[in-house]
Structures are given as structure tokens and as C-alpha cells.
Amino acid sequence: MAEPFPFELVSPERLLLSESVEAVVVPGTDGEFTVLKDHAPFMATIKPGCVVVTLAGGGVQKFFVRGGFADVNAKGLTILAEQAIPLESLNAEVIAGEIRNAEEDVADARDDATRIVAQTKLAQLQDVRAALGH
């Protein structure tokens, strides 16, 4: 059993989790990494994906994150996410509908700026769908 350490997951809207945890799996832009107690200090950027948190008392919580930073230091791990959503609050059917709408927006785009915005939204929604495992 791993030793617990402090972890915080923060989005611009709110503090999603501040707990003692055993492990956190983070989707880094240079590859997925796991943080345990006494991990070497470093900072990393995060790509869209799923953060998997193993709580000190047992149990697992999962969050979809859309970019941000992870800061590992002597005090623990802090993730500052551009967006973070508990995975259980996401609905696959709603996401599928939003993806269809975004695909239509890409097809209907009349100029490059509109097309780029629509493609970015579509890519983000596809990342959410992938995090849901669909």
C-alpha cells in the first residue's frame, strides 16, 4: 500500500478535490505519468484526458481535464486545469450530440477563422468522448 500525500485539483471555476491520496495518474503532454509520495519535483503541461486519483482511504475518482499544469513538489501534487469535470457527471449521449453539431459547424464554416474555432471545439469534444471510453 502506497503512502498518502496531499493532492489538489483546481479549475478556474472551483477546487474540485483536496485530499490525501495514494497515487495520481496524469495525462502529460510528454506522456502519461503517475505521482506517488516523495516523487521528484517537476512541472509538466497536461493534455486533454483523464486524471485518475487513488484516494488514501481506498476508492478511485476520475476527472476529465482539458489542459493545464501539474506541479509536483515536496508538499505534494497540484493540478491547475484549464477545465476539469468529474467523469461520472459526463453523459455520453449528450457528448455524441454535441460532436454531431460540431461536425456540422465545421462543414458549414465559410471562412478559415470560423472553421478553426469549429475544429477546435470538435477536437475537444472528441477528447471528452475518448476519456469516457466511447
Side-chain angles (χ1 to χ4, degrees):
M1 184 166 162
E3 288 187 48
F5 64 94
F7 169 67
E8 287 192 339
L9 174 58
V10 183
S11 74
E13 296 85 27
R14 65 188 171 118
L15 174 66
L16 282 102
L17 187 64
S18 180
E19 295 269 340
S20 186
V21 301
E22 291 182 1
V24 181
V25 179
V26 183
T29 54
D30 290 331
E32 188 175 88
F33 60 92
T34 302
V35 177
L36 301 170
K37 184 173 176 30
D38 298 327
H39 192 290
F42 80 106
M43 288 191 76
T45 55
I46 299 172
K47 68 179 181 179
C50 190
V51 171
V52 181
V53 182
T54 303
L55 301 170
V60 173
Q61 290 189 4
K62 296 180 181 181
F63 298 87
F64 172 76
V65 293
R66 184 176 293 148
F69 297 91
D71 178 21
V72 182
N73 59 51
K75 296 179 183 177
L77 168 64
T78 301
I79 292 179
L80 304 172
E82 291 175 20
Q83 181 182 28
I85 304 166
L87 217 53
E88 69 270 1
S89 71
L90 296 174
N91 181 311
E93 292 176 21
V94 171
I95 299 299
E98 289 184 24
I99 287 173
R100 285 191 297 277
N101 290 339
E103 289 169 339
E104 290 173 6
D105 291 346
V106 170
D108 294 342
R110 300 285 182 234
D111 58 69
D112 288 341
T114 304
R115 185 173 298 104
I116 289 169
V117 169
Q119 289 171 331
T120 300
K121 181 178 180 182
L122 176 59
Q124 291 172 340
L125 289 166
Q126 289 169 333
D127 289 337
V128 171
R129 181 177 57 194
L132 287 171
H134 294 91

